[in-house]
Amino acid sequence: MQRLIGTILFAASLAVTPMTSSIGLAQTAPTETAPARQQSPSGAHGGAVPAPNAAAPAAPAPTGQVAPAAPAPTDVPATIPAPAPSPTPAPVTAQATLPHDLSPWGMFMAADIVVKAVMLGLAFASLVTWTIWLAKALELAAAKARAGRAVRRLEEAVSLDEAAQAITGRKGRARGTVAELVGAAQSERERSSDLGENGIKERAAIALSRIEARAGRSMARGTGLLATIGSTAPFVGLFGTVWGIMNSFIGISQSKTTNLAVVAPGIAEALLATAIGLVAAIPAVIIYNVFARAISGYRATLSDASGEVLRHLSRDLERTRRQAAQQVRANLHAVPAQPAAMPRVPAE
């Protein structure tokens, strides 16, 4: 009896062992196949290696006994292949290419017609500024040098006529504003020889002041244009910049993008107008201030020359008056005294 019970238990244990192994395989199959799917080179296409059926054959039953039917092995759940990931397309980035030529000339050629007109006008204004500087600098330097030499000769002279001869050029002609001052004083002295000294001096002073004013206006001719360029060029350049930026914003709205590569060229072309305006305005202001100081110095030199001319004129008039007085005295001494004639009395 005990042997029979032991035999039955032994047979039952043999029958249960395959079932336990089958259940264990069924439970571990998904976990074991997952790494295999990741490491398999064909995992990208969804290929998974199914777990083998590890059911062991049932042990033969002892002789004379009916062996219990072995349970059907539990099927390992089939692993559903994961769908192959579709390749992610690379993000398409709109890359606007900058112009090949970002030099000032290239930006000028790519600018709007209004901005081009502004730039050309400012460039012409800059050319006018430097032309006036060159011509006026040469003229002012020559005039100041000539006036300085004439003033020194006036100071060394004794009379107005001697001063006129001293400032006469090599060709025998008086040149320069100081020569005009001396000539005006001589002309007034000759025309007013029969008039009083005070009137001659007053009229000569008026004539000399008018000559000084005319010479100052002549020397300052062209500097007003420098002042105009210096004050208006920045605003003209700013107008070109505003117009160019407005066109850039219109282009941004039409292209529907705020990429800096699209916006930058138009703004750079607009700012070039302001830069040219400053290039035209800054030298004009500096040159105007330099010429204003130089012309003030030239007028001071002419004022010194006028003073010297009036001094010579005053001396000459006084000398002439003294000479006339001495001549009158000499004539009085030269006339002999004659006795007074006695009236004749008729004889009775």
Side-chain angles (χ1 to χ4, degrees), residues 7-36:
T7 303
I8 293 172
L9 293 176
F10 178 77
S13 63
L14 292 177
V16 172
T17 299
M19 294 177 61
T20 305
S21 61
S22 299
I23 293 173
L25 289 174
Q27 293 178 352
T28 57
T31 306
E32 294 175 355
T33 55

Short mmCIF file of all heavy atoms in Angstrom, two decimals, residues 7-36:
data_model
loop_
_atom_site.label_atom_id
_atom_site.label_comp_id
_atom_site.label_asym_id
_atom_site.label_seq_id
_atom_site.Cartn_x
_atom_site.Cartn_y
_atom_site.Cartn_z
N THR A 7 4.40 5.24 -5.42
CA THR A 7 4.49 5.19 -6.88
C THR A 7 3.58 6.22 -7.51
O THR A 7 3.94 6.92 -8.49
CB THR A 7 4.15 3.79 -7.39
OG1 THR A 7 5.03 2.83 -6.78
CG2 THR A 7 4.28 3.72 -8.89
N ILE A 8 2.35 6.37 -6.95
CA ILE A 8 1.39 7.34 -7.50
C ILE A 8 1.92 8.77 -7.32
O ILE A 8 1.86 9.61 -8.23
CB ILE A 8 0.02 7.17 -6.84
CG1 ILE A 8 -0.58 5.80 -7.26
CG2 ILE A 8 -0.92 8.30 -7.23
CD1 ILE A 8 -1.84 5.44 -6.50
N LEU A 9 2.45 9.05 -6.16
CA LEU A 9 3.00 10.39 -5.92
C LEU A 9 4.17 10.71 -6.83
O LEU A 9 4.35 11.81 -7.35
CB LEU A 9 3.42 10.52 -4.45
CG LEU A 9 2.26 10.49 -3.43
CD1 LEU A 9 2.81 10.52 -2.00
CD2 LEU A 9 1.33 11.66 -3.66
N PHE A 10 5.00 9.64 -7.05
CA PHE A 10 6.16 9.84 -7.92
C PHE A 10 5.70 10.13 -9.34
O PHE A 10 6.23 11.01 -10.03
CB PHE A 10 7.06 8.60 -7.85
CG PHE A 10 8.26 8.69 -8.76
CD1 PHE A 10 9.37 9.47 -8.42
CD2 PHE A 10 8.29 8.01 -9.97
CE1 PHE A 10 10.47 9.56 -9.23
CE2 PHE A 10 9.40 8.09 -10.76
CZ PHE A 10 10.49 8.86 -10.43
N ALA A 11 4.68 9.37 -9.79
CA ALA A 11 4.16 9.58 -11.15
C ALA A 11 3.51 10.94 -11.27
O ALA A 11 3.63 11.65 -12.28
CB ALA A 11 3.17 8.48 -11.52
N ALA A 12 2.80 11.34 -10.18
CA ALA A 12 2.16 12.66 -10.21
C ALA A 12 3.19 13.77 -10.26
O ALA A 12 3.04 14.78 -10.96
CB ALA A 12 1.26 12.83 -8.99
N SER A 13 4.28 13.59 -9.52
CA SER A 13 5.33 14.63 -9.56
C SER A 13 5.98 14.72 -10.93
O SER A 13 6.31 15.80 -11.42
CB SER A 13 6.38 14.34 -8.50
OG SER A 13 7.02 13.09 -8.79
N LEU A 14 6.15 13.54 -11.55
CA LEU A 14 6.71 13.57 -12.89
C LEU A 14 5.77 14.25 -13.87
O LEU A 14 6.21 14.90 -14.82
CB LEU A 14 7.03 12.14 -13.36
CG LEU A 14 8.17 11.42 -12.62
CD1 LEU A 14 8.31 9.99 -13.15
CD2 LEU A 14 9.48 12.16 -12.78
N ALA A 15 4.47 14.10 -13.68
CA ALA A 15 3.50 14.73 -14.59
C ALA A 15 3.39 16.24 -14.35
O ALA A 15 3.15 17.01 -15.27
CB ALA A 15 2.14 14.05 -14.43
N VAL A 16 3.58 16.67 -13.13
CA VAL A 16 3.43 18.09 -12.79
C VAL A 16 4.67 18.89 -13.21
O VAL A 16 4.59 20.06 -13.56
CB VAL A 16 3.16 18.23 -11.28
CG1 VAL A 16 3.21 19.70 -10.87
CG2 VAL A 16 1.80 17.66 -10.95
N THR A 17 5.80 18.20 -13.21
CA THR A 17 7.04 18.92 -13.54
C THR A 17 7.00 19.55 -14.93
O THR A 17 7.38 20.71 -15.11
CB THR A 17 8.24 17.95 -13.39
OG1 THR A 17 8.29 17.50 -12.03
CG2 THR A 17 9.53 18.65 -13.76
N PRO A 18 6.55 18.84 -16.01
CA PRO A 18 6.48 19.51 -17.33
C PRO A 18 5.54 20.71 -17.31
O PRO A 18 5.78 21.75 -17.96
CB PRO A 18 5.99 18.44 -18.25
CG PRO A 18 6.40 17.17 -17.60
CD PRO A 18 6.25 17.43 -16.12
N MET A 19 4.43 20.63 -16.59
CA MET A 19 3.48 21.73 -16.54
C MET A 19 4.12 22.98 -15.91
O MET A 19 3.96 24.10 -16.36
CB MET A 19 2.25 21.32 -15.75
CG MET A 19 1.42 20.21 -16.42
SD MET A 19 0.04 19.72 -15.39
CE MET A 19 -0.85 21.24 -15.28
N THR A 20 4.87 22.76 -14.84
CA THR A 20 5.53 23.90 -14.16
C THR A 20 6.54 24.57 -15.05
O THR A 20 6.66 25.79 -15.13
CB THR A 20 6.20 23.39 -12.88
OG1 THR A 20 5.22 22.72 -12.08
CG2 THR A 20 6.77 24.56 -12.10
N SER A 21 7.31 23.72 -15.75
CA SER A 21 8.31 24.31 -16.67
C SER A 21 7.66 25.06 -17.80
O SER A 21 8.14 26.10 -18.24
CB SER A 21 9.24 23.22 -17.20
OG SER A 21 8.47 22.26 -17.93
N SER A 22 6.50 24.55 -18.28
CA SER A 22 5.80 25.22 -19.38
C SER A 22 5.24 26.56 -18.93
O SER A 22 5.35 27.58 -19.63
CB SER A 22 4.68 24.34 -19.92
OG SER A 22 5.21 23.14 -20.42
N ILE A 23 4.68 26.58 -17.70
CA ILE A 23 4.14 27.85 -17.19
C ILE A 23 5.25 28.88 -16.97
O ILE A 23 5.14 30.06 -17.25
CB ILE A 23 3.36 27.58 -15.89
CG1 ILE A 23 2.12 26.75 -16.21
CG2 ILE A 23 2.97 28.88 -15.21
CD1 ILE A 23 1.37 26.27 -14.97
N GLY A 24 6.41 28.39 -16.46
CA GLY A 24 7.55 29.31 -16.26
C GLY A 24 8.05 29.90 -17.56
O GLY A 24 8.39 31.08 -17.66
N LEU A 25 8.07 29.06 -18.58
CA LEU A 25 8.50 29.58 -19.88
C LEU A 25 7.51 30.58 -20.42
O LEU A 25 7.88 31.58 -21.04
CB LEU A 25 8.68 28.42 -20.87
CG LEU A 25 9.89 27.50 -20.62
CD1 LEU A 25 9.84 26.33 -21.60
CD2 LEU A 25 11.17 28.28 -20.78
N ALA A 26 6.25 30.30 -20.19
CA ALA A 26 5.23 31.23 -20.69
C ALA A 26 5.30 32.58 -20.00
O ALA A 26 5.02 33.62 -20.58
CB ALA A 26 3.84 30.61 -20.50
N GLN A 27 5.66 32.56 -18.71
CA GLN A 27 5.74 33.82 -17.99
C GLN A 27 7.00 34.61 -18.31
O GLN A 27 7.03 35.83 -18.27
CB GLN A 27 5.68 33.55 -16.47
CG GLN A 27 4.33 33.01 -16.02
CD GLN A 27 4.32 32.71 -14.54
OE1 GLN A 27 5.38 32.76 -13.89
NE2 GLN A 27 3.14 32.35 -14.01
N THR A 28 8.08 33.96 -18.64
CA THR A 28 9.35 34.65 -18.91
C THR A 28 9.59 34.96 -20.37
O THR A 28 10.54 35.62 -20.73
CB THR A 28 10.52 33.81 -18.39
OG1 THR A 28 10.48 32.53 -19.01
CG2 THR A 28 10.43 33.65 -16.88
N ALA A 29 8.75 34.45 -21.23
CA ALA A 29 8.99 34.64 -22.66
C ALA A 29 8.94 36.10 -23.08
O ALA A 29 9.81 36.57 -23.80
CB ALA A 29 8.01 33.79 -23.46
N PRO A 30 7.93 36.93 -22.67
CA PRO A 30 7.93 38.33 -23.14
C PRO A 30 9.14 39.11 -22.67
O PRO A 30 9.68 39.93 -23.36
CB PRO A 30 6.64 38.89 -22.56
CG PRO A 30 5.78 37.69 -22.34
CD PRO A 30 6.71 36.59 -21.94
N THR A 31 9.59 38.83 -21.42
CA THR A 31 10.73 39.58 -20.90
C THR A 31 12.01 39.22 -21.62
O THR A 31 12.89 40.05 -21.82
CB THR A 31 10.87 39.29 -19.41
OG1 THR A 31 9.63 39.57 -18.78
CG2 THR A 31 11.96 40.16 -18.79
N GLU A 32 12.11 37.95 -22.01
CA GLU A 32 13.36 37.54 -22.66
C GLU A 32 13.41 37.96 -24.11
O GLU A 32 14.46 38.15 -24.67
CB GLU A 32 13.51 36.00 -22.55
CG GLU A 32 13.70 35.55 -21.10
CD GLU A 32 13.72 34.04 -21.02
OE1 GLU A 32 13.48 33.43 -22.09
OE2 GLU A 32 13.98 33.48 -19.95
N THR A 33 12.25 38.08 -24.73
CA THR A 33 12.26 38.42 -26.16
C THR A 33 12.44 39.90 -26.41
O THR A 33 12.85 40.30 -27.48
CB THR A 33 10.96 37.94 -26.82
OG1 THR A 33 9.87 38.51 -26.10
CG2 THR A 33 10.87 36.43 -26.78
N ALA A 34 12.14 40.73 -25.39
CA ALA A 34 12.26 42.17 -25.60
C ALA A 34 13.69 42.62 -25.87
O ALA A 34 13.96 43.32 -26.83
CB ALA A 34 11.67 42.92 -24.41
N PRO A 35 14.65 42.16 -25.02
CA PRO A 35 16.03 42.57 -25.35
C PRO A 35 16.50 42.00 -26.66
O PRO A 35 17.28 42.60 -27.36
CB PRO A 35 16.86 42.05 -24.19
CG PRO A 35 15.88 41.90 -23.06
CD PRO A 35 14.61 41.50 -23.71
N ALA A 36 16.03 40.78 -26.96
CA ALA A 36 16.46 40.18 -28.22
C ALA A 36 15.99 41.01 -29.39
O ALA A 36 16.68 41.17 -30.38
CB ALA A 36 15.94 38.73 -28.32
#
